[in-house]
Amino acid sequence: MPLSSTPADADGLPSSRHRLSTRIIASSLVALIVVLSMVSWTLWLSWQLEGAGAAINETGSLRMRANRVAVELMRPQAGRQVRTDEQLRLMDDTIARLARGNPARPLFIPNDPAIREQWLGVADYWRSIMRPAAVRAIEREDAAEYLETLPDFVARADALVRMIEQDNAGKTTSLRLSQGVLAAIASAGTLAMIYLLYLWIISPVLRLRDGLQRMAAREFSTRLPVESRDEFGVLARGFNRMADELQGLYTGLEQRVGEKTAQLAAQNRDIGALYDMAAFLNQPNEIEAMCQGFLRRVMLQFDAEGGSIRALDPDNDTLNLVVSVGLSEDLVESEHCMRVDDCYCGVATRQAGVIVIQDLRQAPAPQDLNCQRDGFASVAVFRIVTRDEVLGSYSLHFRSPRQLAPSESQLLETLGQHLGVALDNRRLSAQARQLAVVQERGLVAQGLHDSLAQGLNFLNLQLQLLDAAVKRGDQAEIDEILPLLRTGVDESYQDVRELLTNFRSKLGQGDLRDAMQDTVERFRRQTGLSITLAFEQGEGAPLPPEQQLQVLFILQEALSNVRKHSEADRVEIRVHNARDFSLDIIDNGQGYDPAEVARRGEAHVGLHIMRERAARMHATIKMQSRPGHGTHIALLLPGAERQAA
């Protein structure tokens, strides 16, 4: 029967008395005590046997020494007394050693009452009878009395030896029995420990292994019996809890997998819808076509029967209908332009989130909604926003009640943000194009002012002088003015052709070298000057067309200044396209005073135009010159400012 759970300490282990380690230690200590006791008992028996053996030898020597005393008493030779006294002394010493005993040797009479009594009789017989008889025999020189006592003493000593031997025999038997018992205890203890180890450790481990194998085979109903309160009992209970959790998890796994699969499929559809919508919004469509395509795609995605996109006019607080799909002509006409507060489509622009009317029939009574009259039962309205700015709203109309899930509402809000970004990009692109046109018109105006305006002003002045000379009839002055007029007209014509050529310049990727060569050849034909072009193509990629066009305009403007002002006869152009792009234009003309140019400021329109074009492409331009030493124009486009071609 399974055991109930027992209190455990903080680390989850059972109490000390129930632990497996406690059992093993206690069993080991009991076995150690038993073994040590038996070993001590055998050692004690061995010690007793050794001491009794020494006593047998010493007792046997009593007979020998008693006979030697008799021998010495019967010898008539000189020194008889001395030899007899020596034997008596040895006899006394032997009896004293036996009486005293020696545990260290060991030597002692067995502690048996009969043996002790027999020993006392032998010692007393020597002291009281035999020794006095020996002393008298020395004095009388007659050993008859001593010899009469000798047989009795020998008999008594033999009896003592036999008794000690019998006692040793019993102890030897006990020693052998003890050794047998010790061997039996060792064998039984070994078998008992093997059994206990199997019962306590091996069997629980085998059950745990079997349970894990069955669990690996997805038999989640497997449970282990809790048969103990030790560590393996804790493991068994933990295994069962794990099995319960796994069974619960596996039971609902298929359902959860299905739900997760459906969720992932919905997310994939949402991602696909966002991707398709982003790809569509990035196409170069007009705003109305883009809104129309956006609305149709959203309606198809969410099965809507109608929809509209409205632009917010914050100045007039109105909504203007941009496009509509599935709405009647009457509804479109009535809501072509309406106040923000007149409909849910306008209210949505004033608050975050989504406005969903699940059932228009349940709308407040005072509201007479056009979409309700048009047969729609539900409507969902979302804001069109970009950078925290509300651009308008778009709505989806349903002819049956429709409830949007949170994920659908989030997707529709995100689509509204995408549409807002696309509309804002279109607006910014239009503004950028307008700004580029304005900037280019400014440069054109500056070019006209620098070339044609000054030339026409000169021709106007010469015409006034010619008119006055004709009225005076001054033929010499007329002949002087006419060549000046002809020269001014030719220069103005050249300026017009140069401006037309510059305005018509168009470049594609990789056309810069050819365009610069054409410009150099045209300059050589027009001026007859010596001009060289060195174009070194390094590891740098080709510039994009916009930056190439600005470089070409700067070159054309610099060559125009050389033709008009420098009076040079040699021009050198160097181009190096590495990580940084550089353009150097060097002439040997008359040069100019930079301080004078700085003082005059905007009067030198050509230099100002080159600086503006360099700033437009984020490049730096340096102009070095001094009177009589030519001019050096250096354009540098750092690699960090290069645009992608």
Side-chain angles (χ1 to χ4, degrees):
M1 183 177 180
L3 300 175
S4 60
S5 59
T6 57
D9 52 20
D11 58 0
L13 295 176
S15 59
S16 302
R17 65 188 184 92
H18 292 133
R19 292 182 184 177
L20 181 61
S21 58
T22 304
R23 295 188 200 173
I24 295 175
I25 293 173
S27 302
S28 301
L29 290 177
V30 170
L32 180 63
I33 292 172
V34 173
V35 171
L36 291 178
S37 299
M38 293 302 300
V39 170
S40 300
W41 171 251
T42 57
L43 290 176
W44 183 82
L45 287 177
S46 298
W47 181 73
Q48 289 284 331
L49 289 173
E50 187 176 357
I56 291 173
N57 292 332
E58 293 291 338
T59 303
S61 68
L62 291 177
R63 293 175 300 181
M64 179 191 67
R65 296 191 184 284
N67 288 322
R68 284 189 177 184
V69 171
V71 172
E72 294 298 333
L73 289 174
M74 289 185 297
R75 293 174 65 183
Q77 293 91 351
R80 171 173 173 267
Q81 183 176 356
V82 175
R83 291 192 298 273
T84 303
D85 291 339
E86 177 64 22
Q87 292 299 326
L88 291 175
R89 185 184 62 78
L90 294 174
M91 189 69 174
D92 291 336
D93 292 340
T94 302
I95 291 177
R97 284 196 303 271
L98 288 172
R100 186 173 60 250
N102 187 5
R105 181 180 174 183
L107 171 64
F108 48 82
I109 300 296
N111 193 20
D112 181 81
I115 296 175
R116 301 295 297 181
E117 183 180 357
Q118 182 67 23
W119 155 246
L120 293 174
V122 172
D124 185 68
Y125 189 83
W126 167 257
R127 293 190 187 97
S128 61
I129 297 176
M130 290 193 69
R131 197 177 192 288
V135 173
R136 288 192 295 270
I138 294 173
E139 294 175 355
R140 300 173 183 175
E141 296 183 1
D142 184 7
E145 184 182 359
Y146 179 81
L147 293 176
E148 290 178 0
T149 61
L150 182 60
D152 191 18
F153 178 80
V154 172
R156 290 175 181 268
D158 289 339
L160 177 61
V161 170
R162 288 194 298 271
M163 293 177 70
I164 295 175
E165 289 177 348
Q166 291 175 0
D167 184 73
N168 276 6
K171 290 180 179 179
T172 301
T173 303
S174 298
L175 178 61
R176 292 173 179 173
L177 290 174
S178 299
Q179 292 174 343
V181 171
L182 182 60
I185 291 175
S187 301
T190 301
L191 294 176
M193 287 304 297
I194 293 174
Y195 174 75
L196 292 176
L197 289 177
Y198 178 83
L199 182 65
W200 294 344
I201 298 177
I202 298 177
S203 179
V205 170
L206 293 177
R207 287 197 299 270
L208 183 61
R209 184 197 63 181
D210 181 67
L212 292 175
Q213 291 177 347
R214 294 173 64 185
M215 194 68 67
R218 298 186 178 183
E219 297 181 15
F220 297 110
S221 60
T222 303
R223 299 295 184 272
L224 297 181
V226 183
E227 299 176 346
S228 63
R229 299 178 180 179
D230 54 13
E231 291 85 345
F232 284 103
V234 175
L235 286 177
R237 287 191 291 272
F239 180 90
N240 294 337
R241 288 194 299 269
M242 179 192 69
D244 292 338
E245 294 180 3
L246 287 177
Q247 188 175 17
L249 291 174
Y250 188 78
T251 301
L253 182 61
E254 185 175 357
Q255 179 180 358
R256 288 192 293 270
V257 168
E259 294 175 354
K260 194 64 176 180
T261 302
Q263 183 181 359
L264 292 176
Q267 292 178 353
N268 288 333
R269 289 195 300 271
D270 295 345
I271 294 174
L274 289 173
Y275 177 80
D276 295 338
M277 189 63 71
F280 170 75
L281 294 177
N282 287 327
Q283 296 178 3
N285 298 322
E286 297 295 333
I287 291 180
E288 186 173 352
M290 181 183 67
C291 293
Q292 188 82 12
F294 172 87
L295 188 59
R296 290 187 179 277
R297 283 169 170 77
V298 175
M299 290 174 58
L300 181 64
Q301 177 77 15
F302 292 91
D303 298 326
E305 289 81 11
S308 65
I309 295 179
R310 305 173 189 270
L312 176 64
D313 185 1
D315 296 332
N316 298 320
D317 206 20
T318 58
L319 282 176
N320 298 313
L321 185 64
V322 180
V323 294
S324 64
V325 178
L327 304 182
S328 64
E329 294 182 358
D330 294 339
L331 191 149
V332 172
E333 182 64 26
S334 62
E335 296 186 355
H336 183 74
C337 181
M338 64 181 183
R339 306 268 318 159
V340 172
D341 298 331
D342 290 347
C343 185
Y344 292 110
C345 297
V347 176
T349 62
R350 298 184 181 273
Q351 65 183 46
V354 58
I355 294 180
V356 180
I357 305 299
Q358 298 180 5
D359 192 348
L360 291 175
R361 294 170 296 180
Q362 299 178 1
Q367 295 185 356
D368 187 13
L369 303 177
N370 294 325
C371 50
Q372 184 179 4
R373 293 196 302 269
D374 215 29
F376 295 106
S378 302
V379 62
V381 186
F382 302 85
R383 298 193 305 172
I384 303 174
V385 297
T386 178
R387 297 181 298 179
D388 299 329
E389 180 183 359
V390 181
L391 302 182
S393 65
Y394 76 96
S395 60
L396 298 178
H397 299 260
F398 306 91
R399 296 196 179 278
S400 59
R402 172 70 184 275
Q403 185 176 2
L404 297 177
S407 59
E408 294 178 324
S409 298
Q410 184 178 3
L411 176 60
L412 289 168
E413 287 188 76
T414 305
L415 291 174
Q417 295 173 1
H418 280 56
L419 179 60
V421 171
L423 293 173
D424 193 49
N425 289 337
R426 296 292 194 281
R427 182 180 63 183
L428 294 177
S429 298
Q431 293 176 354
R433 289 193 298 270
Q434 293 177 359
L435 180 60
V437 171
V438 171
Q439 291 176 345
E440 196 63 34
R441 286 179 177 177
L443 295 177
V444 171
Q446 291 176 351
L448 293 174
H449 178 271
D450 192 36
S451 57
L452 290 179
Q454 295 183 6
L456 293 176
N457 186 40
F458 172 78
L459 292 175
N460 184 40
L461 179 61
Q462 296 300 321
L463 285 174
Q464 293 178 4
L465 295 175
L466 179 62
D467 184 63
V470 170
K471 290 180 179 180
R472 293 195 308 269
D474 191 348
Q475 188 61 42
E477 186 175 357
I478 292 174
D479 294 339
E480 183 182 354
I481 293 174
L482 286 177
L484 295 176
L485 288 173
R486 187 177 295 108
T487 301
V489 171
D490 291 339
E491 290 180 354
S492 297
Y493 179 70
Q494 291 180 359
D495 289 339
V496 170
R497 291 190 61 185
E498 184 176 337
L499 287 174
L500 291 175
T501 301
N502 295 345
F503 295 155
R504 292 171 181 173
S505 298
K506 294 182 179 180
L507 289 174
Q509 183 177 343
D511 295 340
L512 182 60
R513 182 197 294 264
D514 297 336
M516 295 180 75
Q517 290 177 348
D518 293 340
T519 301
V520 169
E521 290 296 329
R522 184 170 61 252
F523 180 83
R524 186 182 290 113
R525 291 193 305 269
Q526 293 176 352
T527 62
L529 301 180
S530 175
I531 182 171
T532 60
L533 172 63
F535 197 108
E536 181 181 354
Q537 179 63 50
E539 70 274 12
L543 297 178
E546 177 62 26
Q547 290 187 338
Q548 291 185 20
L549 189 61
Q550 298 300 329
V551 171
L552 183 61
F553 284 160
I554 291 173
L555 175 62
Q556 293 172 348
E557 188 64 38
L559 294 180
S560 178
N561 290 336
V562 171
R563 178 180 62 82
K564 296 176 183 178
H565 309 296
S566 73
E567 299 181 4
D569 58 10
R570 187 177 70 255
V571 182
E572 181 182 0
I573 302 172
R574 296 195 296 267
V575 180
H576 184 61
N577 187 18
R579 182 181 182 277
D580 301 333
F581 179 89
S582 63
L583 169 66
D584 295 275
I585 306 170
I586 305 170
D587 67 72
N588 63 346
Q590 63 181 358
Y592 62 89
D593 185 4
E596 179 67 17
V597 172
R599 186 182 61 81
R600 296 175 62 183
E602 299 296 328
H604 289 275
V605 181
L607 301 181
H608 181 68
I609 290 176
M610 286 191 289
R611 290 192 180 96
E612 283 192 358
R613 292 191 179 279
R616 183 179 296 184
M617 60 184 300
H618 304 288
T620 59
I621 188 169
K622 295 181 180 180
M623 303 176 186
Q624 300 175 354
S625 181
R626 59 177 178 167
H629 291 81
T631 303
H632 181 191
I633 299 175
L635 176 72
L636 178 63
L637 177 63
E641 300 294 341
R642 295 171 70 110
Q643 299 177 3

